Amino acid sequence: MIKKKISSLLQSEYVSNISIQVLGTGIAQLIPLLIMPILSRVYNEDTFASYATFIAVSGVLSVVTGARYHLAIVLPNSQKEAYNIFLVSVYFSFIYAILIFVGISVFNFYFENLSNVRWSSFLIPLYVLFYGIWLSIINLSIRDKKFKINSFSKIIQASGNGFFSLSFGLLNVSSGLIFGKILGVFSSILFLKYKLNIKSKLKISYQDFMIIVKKYKDFPKYGILPSFLDAASLQAPVFIIGSFYTVKQLGFYGFTVMALAGPMSIIAVSFKDVFYQKIAETYNQEKFNVIRKIYKTSALTLLFIGIPILLIVIFFGEQLFSLIFGENWTTSGIYAKILVGSFVIKLIVSPLSTIFNVVKKLNILSMWQIIYFFTTFITLILAVVKFEVTLINLLYIYLIHELILYTFYFYLQYRTIKKL
């Protein structure tokens, strides 16, 4: 009986799709890891500090792109309705990017002395626009179970990012890492558009546009502000370190995040794509017991992926960073040994959070994101301002905070599933 269940699980479409995603993810994460030893010798700490700041600001702003409608593309049974949601998401992405551009222009005009990277700040709306379009297309591929194409798109994104970052670095372009990030996403968009055969002249009537906006209004209504706060919380260490510590320390931290969060986020997103599609499909079929089994299996799988990463970095992080990236980055290895636990628990819990979207419990998701925002900033600011802790101690405090909050997040997910 057990053998039959195991055999059935291994042969299931869900596991097959995960395997495709994991294979593509493995290749996609291998590419930046192979290139980073070169990037660490081409760019200095100041460059990685600027890149970390760009990613932090862009990461916070990009959660609003498309007004969060891209998350609804997977849900409807009608293909026409899914394409209409796709168009709504893309249109809102363009509008939002224009608003960001105007806001940055006004800020730079009135506060010129406060911005030492004025020209590169105009790359933020371009990245946010490309990222919004990419998210919309990715969700179309998830809906249609095009997981092979999805995996290849991530490989192309990682390859493009690495190739352009390295090329600009060799040409001594100071913002080469930023250009590489933008062009990597753009390369992936072109690939997805071609493989999914998305027509350039897709149209939606004003009436259909408003129907979609109203029908799925809960996604922007309950998603924008909490997601914005959640993203700000995730980038809180960058803002705090940049404000209270040295540029060099921010550069070391930024490099640590690039080395750890980059590969692990690709794993998380790839797993999340399959999980979201499968849970949405199963929920529409009202197979709630199956949802519970999928959730438990997924959590255990992510745990088994995360444990080897955790152990390797804890025991060999400092030596690995020094050996692979150069002795200049030993400090980043020390930071990695402290922070890897926070990255692993996010790897396990974050991909499963789409359960709230599927069962339409966005209020629970919003509640956690708001709590996470306030506790993160209050904890870090108190540690720095009140107790004047060193950066190493601040990272330990941040680690403890992440372990507590993400354990609570996991509890909320599991409780939601048990109530189905």
Side-chain angles (χ1 to χ4, degrees):
M1 181 69 70
I2 295 175
K3 287 184 177 180
K4 285 184 179 180
K5 286 185 177 180
I6 294 173
S7 176
S8 175
L9 177 64
L10 292 175
Q11 295 174 12
S12 69
E13 181 187 42
Y14 181 59
V15 172
S16 174
N17 288 335
I18 287 178
S19 300
I20 292 169
Q21 289 287 76
V22 169
L23 177 62
T25 294
I27 298 172
Q29 71 171 326
L30 183 62
I31 293 167
L33 286 177
L34 291 174
I35 294 176
M36 276 197 71
I38 306 174
L39 295 180
S40 65
R41 290 166 172 84
V42 172
Y43 296 102
N44 58 28
E45 298 92 338
D46 291 357
T47 304
F48 278 100
S50 297
Y51 178 72
T53 303
F54 174 85
I55 291 299
V57 175
S58 299
V60 173
L61 293 176
S62 63
V63 299
V64 185
T65 187
R68 309 288 292 172
Y69 279 101
H70 61 272
L71 294 170
I73 293 173
V74 180
L75 302 180
N77 290 320
S78 166
Q79 189 73 358
K80 180 183 177 182
E81 184 172 338
Y83 266 98
N84 283 344
I85 300 171
F86 167 76
L87 289 173
V88 167
S89 178
V90 170
Y91 287 154
F92 275 125
S93 295
F94 273 99
I95 294 169
Y96 182 56
I98 292 170
L99 291 175
I100 294 175
F101 178 81
V102 172
I104 290 174
S105 300
V106 171
F107 179 85
N108 282 328
F109 180 79
Y110 285 104
F111 302 100
E112 182 176 353
N113 294 331
L114 296 179
S115 180
N116 54 10
V117 284
R118 259 179 19 120
W119 72 270
S120 62
S121 64
F122 287 100
L123 295 174
I124 293 173
L126 184 63
Y127 173 76
V128 171
L129 172 62
F130 286 165
Y131 185 70
I133 295 172
W134 182 80
L135 280 176
S136 301
I137 302 178
I138 277 290
N139 277 278
L140 272 183
S141 73
I142 295 168
R143 172 186 172 78
D144 296 334
K145 302 181 184 179
K146 303 291 186 181
F147 294 109
K148 286 184 181 179
I149 295 174
N150 194 318
S151 293
F152 273 114
S153 75
K154 292 181 175 68
I155 295 172
I156 287 173
Q157 182 177 340
S159 301
N161 188 352
F163 172 77
F164 289 114
S165 295
L166 182 57
S167 299
F168 285 120
L170 294 173
L171 293 172
N172 293 319
V173 178
S174 60
S175 297
L177 291 172
I178 297 174
F179 282 119
K181 184 72 173 177
I182 293 172
L183 292 174
V185 176
F186 183 66
S187 301
S188 184
I189 290 172
L190 293 179
F191 171 79
L192 286 166
K193 182 178 181 299
Y194 171 73
K195 296 300 290 186
L196 297 177
N197 195 28
I198 298 175
K199 298 176 182 178
S200 301
K201 296 184 179 179
L202 285 173
K203 293 182 179 180
I204 181 173
S205 67
Y206 176 77
Q207 184 179 5
D208 287 340
F209 185 93
M210 294 309 299
I211 288 173
I212 295 298
V213 168
K214 291 176 182 178
K215 183 174 181 179
Y216 296 96
K217 64 182 179 180
D218 280 357
F219 284 89
K221 182 178 179 180
Y222 293 110
I224 287 180
L225 179 59
S227 297
F228 184 85
L229 297 179
D230 184 38
S233 306
L234 290 172
Q235 302 299 340
V238 174
F239 299 133
I240 298 297
I241 295 171
S243 300
F244 294 97
Y245 298 91
T246 67
V247 173
K248 186 164 285 191
Q249 286 174 311
L250 177 59
F252 285 132
Y253 175 82
F255 188 81
T256 302
V257 172
M258 190 173 178
L260 290 181
M264 279 201 263
S265 66
I266 295 175
I267 296 173
V269 169
S270 298
F271 203 99
K272 181 180 180 180
D273 291 346
V274 182
F275 179 78
Y276 189 26
Q277 186 278 326
K278 186 63 178 179
I279 289 293
E281 180 181 68
T282 308
Y283 184 78
N284 287 335
Q285 296 169 354
E286 298 185 355
K287 297 179 180 178
F288 303 125
N289 287 330
V290 177
I291 289 177
R292 295 188 190 100
K293 291 178 182 178
I294 293 172
Y295 181 86
K296 291 177 182 178
T297 302
S298 301
L300 286 172
T301 303
L302 289 167
L303 177 64
F304 286 130
I305 292 173
I307 286 175
I309 299 172
L310 179 71
L311 295 177
I312 290 170
V313 177
I314 285 178
F315 289 107
F316 307 106
E318 193 174 342
Q319 295 89 331
L320 285 173
F321 270 69
S322 179
L323 176 66
I324 297 172
F325 305 123
E327 293 184 2
N328 292 339
W329 299 100
T330 303
T331 304
S332 290
I334 296 171
Y335 294 173
K337 289 173 68 174
I338 300 170
L339 293 170
V340 65
S342 67
F343 287 114
V344 169
I345 196 168
K346 289 172 187 173
L347 170 68
I348 296 168
V349 180
S350 293
L352 308 178
S353 64
T354 52
I355 190 69
F356 295 120
N357 295 323
V358 173
V359 302
K360 298 178 177 63
K361 293 292 183 180
L362 297 176
N363 57 325
I364 298 176
L365 177 60
S366 300
M367 178 197 70
W368 181 84
Q369 289 170 327
I370 292 169
I371 293 172
Y372 182 57
F373 171 79
F374 283 108
T375 57
T376 301
F377 275 95
I378 290 172
T379 300
L380 295 182
I381 291 173
L382 276 177
V384 173
V385 176
K386 178 71 174 176
F387 299 102
E388 299 180 353
V389 298
T390 64
L391 180 55
I392 292 294
N393 288 334
L394 181 72
L395 296 181
Y396 276 116
I397 292 169
Y398 179 68
L399 168 65
I400 294 169
H401 173 272
E402 295 299 278
L403 293 177
I404 293 172
L405 266 291
Y406 272 86
T407 300
F408 177 53
Y409 198 15
F410 182 82
Y411 165 74
L412 291 175
Q413 295 172 9
Y414 188 70
R415 190 184 70 170
T416 299
I417 289 204
K418 283 191 71 176
K419 287 185 176 181
L420 289 178

